[in-house]
Amino acid sequence: MNPEQKTVGTVLQGEGVSIALEDVTVFYGINPAIQNVTLDIYSNTVTAFIGPSGCGKTTLLRCINRMNDMITTTQITGAIRVFGEDVRKIDPIELRRRVGMVFQRPNPFPTSIYENIALGLRVNGFRGNISDQVEKYLRLVGLYDEVKDRLKMNALQLSGGQQQRLCIARTLALEPEIILMDEPCSSLDPISSIRIDNLITQLKKYFTVVIITHNLQQAARIADWVAFLKVVEAEGARFGVLGEYATSTDFFTKPSSIDAYNYINTRIG
Amino acid sequence: MVAPELPELGNGSLEKGRWASDHRVVNFWEGVFALTTAILATIPILVFLAIIVFMVYDSVEFFRSYLEEGKAAGATIWQFFTDREWTVMFEPPEGERRRIGVISLIIASSIVALIAVAVAAPLGVLMSVVVTHYLPKRLNYFITPVLNMISGVPTIVLGAFAFSSFTPALQKIFPQIQPYNLLVSGLLVGLFVTPTVLGIGVSAINAVPRSYFEAAYSLGMRKYEYILNIVLPTVFPALIAAFTLAFSRAFGETMIPVLASGLTPQFTFNPLQAGQTVASFIFQAATAAVGFDTLEFKSMFATGLVLFLLTFALNSVGNLSRRRFAAQIESLGVSKVEEGTGSLPGEETFYALGERMTGIEFKRNDSLRALGGAIFAGLSYASLVPTFLLLLFLTVSNFRQGARYLNGKFFTQFADPDPEQAGILAALVGNLWLVLLVLVILIVVGLGAAIFLEEYAEIFLFKVFRNRKVVQWVETLLEINLDNLSAIPTIIYGVLGTELFIRTMKMGRSVLAGTLTLAILALPFVITTFRASLRNVPATLRYAGYAVGMSKSQVILRIAIPYAFSGLTSGVLLAATVTMGETAALGAVVGSLGLISFTPFNNPEGRGPFLSQFVTIPLQIYIWATKPTTEPLAAAAIVVLLTILLILGALALFTANLFQSKTYES
Ligand SMILES: Nc1ncnc2c1ncn2[C@@H]1O[C@H](COP(=O)(O)OP(=O)(O)OP(=O)(O)O)[C@@H](O)[C@H]1O
Ligand SMILES: [Mg+2]
């Protein structure tokens, strides 16, 4: 990693709060998924959500851009603020342009590569030149040279790694302020995965990144902050709570709770 | 690994002003869109209500006129249930009354339906077994559509075949069979409804958890023992549901009994005799040249109500139990392996299998078992024969009979009393014109309603009822209602169309009335297939749309519909085949079938293509098939109709497969 990048990261760390979660609790029907999460996510940093399966990482992430609205059974209490605004007050359509999301499995639209990016631009009424914007962000994710001759090709014919980079480009092209990523590398081969890691570390120059990962090496490599969620059982229900929230270095070198310690060591060891 | 260099994004890149979309505008259109689909979705419900209201109202009218007419002869309402004969179509002599014993019609329908199920049940079940367990997968892609083809053959074609070829052939072997009889209707209706059993059977058998199969084989069962001892008992509830639905469908089948069993109502339990079924009576009353205010006309509502209630009850039972089975088998197949629950993988299915296994003793006799296997396999394969033979006979016999007329003249001439001068121009143009109009309506209304039901109904209902249980209940009710509506005998739609469009809205016996009747007839089926296509759109794809800031209607219009396009197209094509071949309902709309020697585009009254009278190929077949001199013309028209349907069907299959090969990697 080049040193200049690193200073950019540290200088900006803690400068502003992009996302503020305050006492967030989410229920699916009558089952709690996560309870009482309070957490500030800083601008221009990469924050990783880690924790055992089912602890509610995805649930928490999807609250931030209100994707949980889609599931009619969810009930969310507490406050979520993006750049100081309560997400419930922002129209979800506008919110989702400003808070982009990349999913676990690449999910390009079954149209051409070009259209995949252009579609989002069009529905949001992009004022600039669409094909320039498409090219710019395909370049940004390092896909342009690979596909520049076949922009009309169906995106489903790309490899998994290329599809995922296309999905990232699609998200970035909307120029969001925050990018949420739910295990973006879990279905990719190691090489594609590293490419995306490198991309993410560079992205924080312009964006705030929140990423879920089960891969602790990845978390250690790219994250500035780590939020560790753990599962607790109370009154017959199982749900996730925030176990620890620290800078990446602190978290991996001196975890303060035994749960975090165990989690790190079973994973790495 | 070189990191991609991050290009300068430039100043102003991250400004909000670069995004012109205004969420208030988007949300406004979102509301308009949702409201439109909601309005379209009420149409099937209105149709349902209209059926009930008209049937009940006009049935009351029927009884009123009956009581008035037969006052002197001591007419009471109860005679509807106590009379043995049904003589509604005959003017009674002075001082007497008509007989209105609907039971004679019901018995005839039941005989036909029972024979049909006796044919369809074993054939359908064995076919499902062959398709799922014996035939190689590749062959299935070809065989299953062919097996299903029989239910796509217009029943007028089967009826004509029954009367002109099948009965005469049977009479050579069993001379005591009447020229018109219930048996032949039953047999052909049976083959016609076999795909109903096949469809449900195959999906039920495919839902049997694979672990059963593995367990059974590991215990040394043979294939046929596994099928007989495990598969069939497991899917038994679904099969019963299938038989019920097949019975209901056979009970309401119209054109086959009309042509093969005659139009004289009789109180008889003898299937070798002629008899009139409920549906065939309705067809007779609807196509008889009688005034709207006559008892004869009104009688079709009373009988229609009987038919509607009986088939509706049967369909509800069938559809409910089919659903219950689907839910059960789903829970059987899933062995929960979530961490911490403590159950081993496959544990549940293992126990479930254990219950099934208790009855099986050790059979040592291996050669006997091998013989059993061979017999079972032979029987299963044999079940394919009748359908194939029938399809073959239909094609060959009609082609041979009609070949003489199948030339250019046939397509450019109008129907004519002189067979040598007759052609199907009017019927062909009328048919295509009608189908085109119907498809336009189906695409607009069907897609709108399907979108509402699939995408908005849940949220909408939740807003109204605020209770998840109630919402689920209402949704199930809606779905069952749709299933039921698509299984209602088509003649009922014909009766409804006559009353609603012709009598109430005064459209005349026109293209418009025919179009609307066919549209409401096919609508439930179309909505159901459209919904299935929309449901196939992967959720992750929709999420992707939302994540780039699309509104719900944008996700539907820009992502879901393009993705589901081939599925939707295939649904439209199937609807085209259904409406193209529909006879009974249109017969009712057209009423007394006369000679139409003009197309809707150049009708002599100058009424324009929407209000013109019309004829379609199936109706023309009916007209021709019922007169011995024109029977070869009917055969020629059948060849034309079957060719068109085959092309449409093949296209539907092709587009549906297009859909399957374009799977989304999720
Ligand atoms: N749509 C839903 N309806 C009901 N319960 C859900 C739904 N989605 C998730 N859950 C439940 O909420 C809890 C948290 O799920 P979530 O997907 O947020 O976990 P996760 O930490 O992302 O897990 P993983 O690491 O496996 O992705 C789980 O118990 C899960 O079963
Ligand atoms: Mg997750």
Side-chain angles (χ1 to χ4, degrees):
Chain A
M1 203 182 284
N2 85 44
E4 203 186 293
Q5 288 287 325
K6 201 158 199 161
T7 47
V8 170
T10 43
V11 165
L12 289 174
Q13 262 178 40
E15 204 174 67
V17 175
S18 284
I19 307 166
L21 304 174
E22 238 172 68
D23 204 23
V24 174
T25 296
V26 184
F27 276 75
Y28 288 113
I30 54 160
N31 307 312
I34 39 167
Q35 290 206 349
N36 311 98
V37 174
T38 301
L39 174 76
D40 282 345
I41 293 170
Y42 302 106
S43 304
N44 298 83
T45 62
V46 175
T47 303
F49 286 1
I50 63 171
S53 188
C55 67
K57 303 179 292 295
T58 302
T59 302
L60 192 59
L61 197 73
R62 292 164 68 96
C63 289
I64 299 171
N65 66 345
R66 290 183 55 182
M67 283 299 262
N68 277 339
D69 288 13
M70 245 65 87
I71 301 160
T72 48
T73 53
T74 42
Q75 286 163 30
I76 305 169
T77 57
I80 302 161
R81 274 186 289 275
V82 171
F83 294 109
E85 285 175 84
D86 189 329
V87 291
R88 272 166 296 196
K89 300 239 167 66
I90 310 176
D91 189 89
I93 294 164
E94 195 180 315
L95 176 69
R96 291 186 196 126
R97 189 199 60 76
R98 291 174 56 194
V99 182
M101 183 168 235
V102 176
F103 297 81
Q104 183 164 0
R105 299 264 177 84
N107 54 356
F109 302 130
T111 52
S112 69
I113 296 170
Y114 179 88
E115 216 29 54
N116 257 277
I117 299 177
L119 200 54
L121 296 174
R122 261 187 244 122
V123 297
N124 287 292
F126 178 63
R127 284 222 169 95
N129 181 314
I130 288 186
S131 56
D132 287 353
Q133 185 86 344
V134 171
E135 183 182 331
K136 181 156 117 193
Y137 283 91
L138 281 176
R139 276 192 201 286
L140 183 69
V141 297
L143 201 56
Y144 187 74
D145 289 329
E146 293 165 46
V147 301
K148 64 175 175 237
D149 304 323
R150 33 181 192 152
L151 290 177
K152 294 271 171 288
M153 189 182 83
N154 193 311
L156 292 176
Q157 287 165 14
L158 294 174
S159 75
Q162 288 173 323
Q163 287 186 9
Q164 192 64 308
R165 278 184 285 149
L166 179 64
C167 291
I168 295 174
R170 175 176 75 189
T171 306
L172 298 181
L174 297 177
E175 299 171 351
E177 291 140 71
I178 297 165
I179 299 158
L180 310 173
M181 298 179 147
D182 190 348
E183 301 183 50
C185 301
S186 64
S187 65
L188 303 184
D189 63 289
I191 307 238
S192 307
S193 179
I194 298 236
R195 282 184 88 143
I196 288 179
D197 284 1
N198 288 335
L199 179 63
I200 292 169
T201 47
Q202 301 206 32
L203 287 177
K204 66 182 174 191
K205 193 165 154 197
Y206 301 103
F207 311 96
T208 303
V209 180
V210 184
I211 182 170
I212 295 178
T213 178
H214 278 294
N215 178 337
L216 294 186
Q217 278 101 332
Q218 187 188 29
R221 206 162 47 226
I222 64 176
D224 304 302
W225 288 83
V226 173
F228 168 68
L229 295 160
K230 63 180 181 184
V231 178
V232 296
E233 260 173 85
E235 293 152 22
R238 284 161 52 88
F239 52 85
V241 294
L242 182 62
E244 193 161 337
Y245 183 45
T247 63
S248 172
T249 334
D250 284 351
F251 180 80
F252 286 108
T253 51
K254 39 182 195 295
S256 65
S257 70
I258 184 76
D259 291 315
Y261 179 84
N262 286 341
Y263 185 73
I264 296 168
N265 286 297
T266 48
R267 284 284 159 154
I268 292 179
Chain B
M1 197 69 245
V2 190
E5 243 346 278
L6 201 66
E8 252 333 296
L9 288 176
N11 293 334
S13 266
L14 302 181
E15 274 171 31
K16 267 194 199 172
R18 280 156 64 85
W19 305 95
S21 115
D22 181 343
H23 62 80
R24 275 160 303 186
V25 177
V26 174
N27 287 336
F28 171 76
W29 286 114
E30 174 66 30
V32 171
F33 182 79
L35 189 68
T36 313
T37 62
I39 291 170
L40 293 174
T42 56
I43 290 178
I45 298 169
L46 292 179
V47 167
F48 181 71
L49 293 179
I51 291 179
I52 294 183
V53 168
F54 278 119
M55 291 286 172
V56 171
Y57 175 80
D58 285 304
S59 298
V60 171
E61 286 290 296
F62 166 73
F63 287 115
R64 187 175 296 159
S65 352
Y66 168 71
L67 290 181
E68 208 176 286
E69 187 192 85
K71 209 186 276 166
T76 66
I77 290 182
W78 300 114
Q79 283 148 358
F80 195 56
F81 305 104
T82 54
D83 272 355
R84 281 174 135 222
E85 274 126 63
W86 179 263
T87 61
V88 170
M89 295 309 276
F90 306 109
E91 194 77 38
E94 200 60 41
E96 281 186 37
R97 62 177 180 86
R98 300 178 204 232
R99 308 280 145 171
I100 56 163
V102 76
I103 191 76
S104 64
L105 302 180
I106 294 179
I107 289 173
S109 290
S110 305
I111 291 174
V112 170
L114 278 176
I115 298 174
V117 171
V119 171
L123 284 184
V125 172
L126 287 173
M127 278 178 188
S128 322
V129 169
V130 178
V131 164
T132 50
H133 282 93
Y134 284 93
L135 285 178
K137 259 225 165 62
R138 243 190 242 155
L139 215 55
N140 268 341
Y141 282 116
F142 165 72
I143 300 266
T144 310
V146 175
L147 290 176
N148 282 322
M149 218 186 260
I150 195 73
S151 65
V153 174
T155 50
I156 177 75
V157 173
L158 295 175
F161 170 77
F163 172 67
S164 61
S165 310
F166 195 47
T167 303
L170 273 188
Q171 276 177 317
K172 280 190 195 129
I173 314 170
F174 307 103
Q176 66 272 43
I177 295 179
Q178 309 284 315
Y180 286 118
N181 64 80
L182 295 168
L183 175 69
V184 166
S185 284
L187 294 176
L188 280 171
V189 174
L191 286 176
F192 177 69
V193 299
T194 305
T196 306
V197 180
L198 174 66
I200 298 175
V202 166
S203 57
I205 291 177
N206 280 336
V208 173
R210 201 178 152 71
S211 54
Y212 282 28
F213 166 80
E214 280 154 4
Y217 273 51
S218 73
L219 294 173
M221 279 196 203
R222 280 165 189 267
K223 189 187 232 171
Y224 84 99
E225 290 168 330
Y226 163 65
I227 292 168
L228 286 176
N229 290 312
I230 292 175
V231 176
L232 293 184
T234 306
V235 301
F236 187 68
L239 294 180
I240 292 295
F243 300 161
T244 315
L245 294 172
F247 183 90
S248 160
R249 218 174 149 190
F251 193 90
E253 169 41 40
T254 311
M255 292 321 289
I256 296 175
V258 162
L259 284 161
S261 305
L263 295 174
T264 38
Q266 285 185 39
F267 184 88
T268 176
F269 289 97
N270 183 354
L272 301 184
Q273 288 192 351
Q276 188 166 38
T277 66
V278 184
S280 109
F281 171 74
I282 301 173
F283 184 79
Q284 187 194 4
T287 51
V290 293
F292 286 146
D293 290 319
T294 58
L295 191 65
E296 287 88 343
F297 183 80
K298 288 172 190 160
S299 71
M300 69 187 191
F301 295 98
T303 42
L305 187 62
V306 168
L307 184 60
F308 175 73
L309 291 178
L310 286 175
T311 52
F312 194 80
L314 286 168
N315 291 334
S316 302
V317 171
N319 283 324
L320 260 176
S321 48
R322 189 168 61 146
R323 263 156 202 281
R324 188 163 318 141
F325 171 78
Q328 267 169 12
I329 194 113
E330 210 164 288
S331 65
L332 271 183
V334 180
S335 36
K336 300 215 162 68
V337 280
E338 291 293 302
E339 76 284 357
T341 56
S343 90
L344 292 168
E347 198 175 41
E348 289 181 22
T349 48
F350 177 77
Y351 285 125
L353 187 58
E355 280 167 27
R356 294 252 174 268
M357 293 287 301
T358 43
I360 302 162
E361 313 270 329
F362 289 100
K363 285 185 196 150
R364 289 285 164 78
N365 199 332
D366 269 354
S367 59
L368 206 67
R369 289 174 69 193
L371 184 68
I375 290 175
F376 186 72
L379 271 179
S380 304
Y381 279 111
S383 71
L384 305 181
V385 174
T387 300
F388 274 98
L389 274 186
L390 178 56
L391 287 171
L392 193 72
F393 267 127
L394 279 179
T395 327
V396 173
S397 75
N398 284 306
F399 196 79
R400 274 180 46 185
Q401 271 195 60
R404 187 156 84 78
Y405 291 105
L406 283 170
N407 51 36
K409 269 185 6 193
F410 193 59
F411 294 94
T412 52
Q413 288 174 337
F414 291 113
D416 196 285
D418 174 10
E420 298 308 315
Q421 298 303 317
I424 55 161
L425 181 61
L428 184 64
V429 175
N431 217 348
L432 294 177
W433 175 229
L434 218 65
V435 169
L436 186 77
L437 293 177
V438 170
L439 291 188
V440 171
I441 297 180
L442 286 179
I443 291 170
V444 174
V445 181
L447 199 55
I451 287 173
F452 180 80
L453 290 175
E454 192 59 31
E455 315 271 345
Y456 291 100
E458 195 183 340
I459 304 167
F460 172 78
L461 289 173
F462 192 69
K463 272 192 190 142
V464 176
F465 295 108
R466 303 237 149 252
N467 180 324
R468 204 150 295 284
K469 278 255 164 63
V470 178
V471 169
Q472 268 173 11
W473 190 80
V474 174
E475 283 204 311
T476 315
L477 195 75
L478 271 177
E479 268 172 43
I480 289 184
N481 192 11
L482 267 184
D483 286 349
N484 282 345
L485 277 180
S486 48
I488 284 177
T490 55
I491 184 70
I492 298 219
Y493 286 101
V495 170
L496 175 71
T498 312
E499 182 70 6
L500 184 61
F501 303 125
I502 301 175
R503 194 174 171 195
T504 311
M505 299 191 183
K506 307 221 168 6
M507 292 181 191
R509 298 188 178 276
S510 61
V511 168
L512 194 59
T515 302
L516 293 174
T517 304
L518 285 184
I520 58 173
L521 179 155
L523 193 57
F525 158 79
V526 167
I527 294 176
T528 310
T529 36
F530 281 1
R531 280 188 76 173
S533 305
L534 288 176
R535 199 171 304 165
N536 262 331
V537 178
T540 57
L541 199 55
R542 293 163 182 269
Y543 290 149
Y546 288 118
V548 297
M550 288 187 187
S551 69
K552 188 157 192 162
S553 60
Q554 284 171 331
V555 167
I556 294 167
L557 292 174
R558 292 178 186 245
I559 295 180
I561 289 180
Y563 183 85
F565 189 75
S566 47
L568 298 173
T569 314
S570 140
V572 171
L573 289 168
L574 283 178
T577 63
V578 171
T579 43
M580 186 95 202
E582 177 55 36
T583 319
L586 272 189
V589 169
V590 169
S592 54
L593 295 153
L595 193 85
I596 303 265
S597 50
F598 51 84
T599 69
F601 301 98
N602 59 359
N603 62 84
E605 297 100 332
R607 286 198 227 162
F610 294 100
L611 292 178
S612 166
Q613 282 183 290
F614 68 96
V615 63
T616 64
I617 302 180
L619 292 177
Q620 193 62 59
I621 294 172
Y622 176 73
I623 297 168
W624 280 334
T626 41
K627 283 193 209 83
T629 49
T630 48
E631 256 181 57
L633 284 171
I638 287 174
V639 173
V640 175
L641 181 62
L642 289 183
T643 311
I644 298 176
L645 291 180
L646 200 65
I647 294 172
L648 284 173
L651 274 178
L653 206 66
F654 175 72
T655 47
N657 279 337
L658 213 68
F659 175 67
Q660 279 181 347
S661 59
K662 196 185 73 181
T663 44
Y664 186 77
E665 207 193 321
S666 58

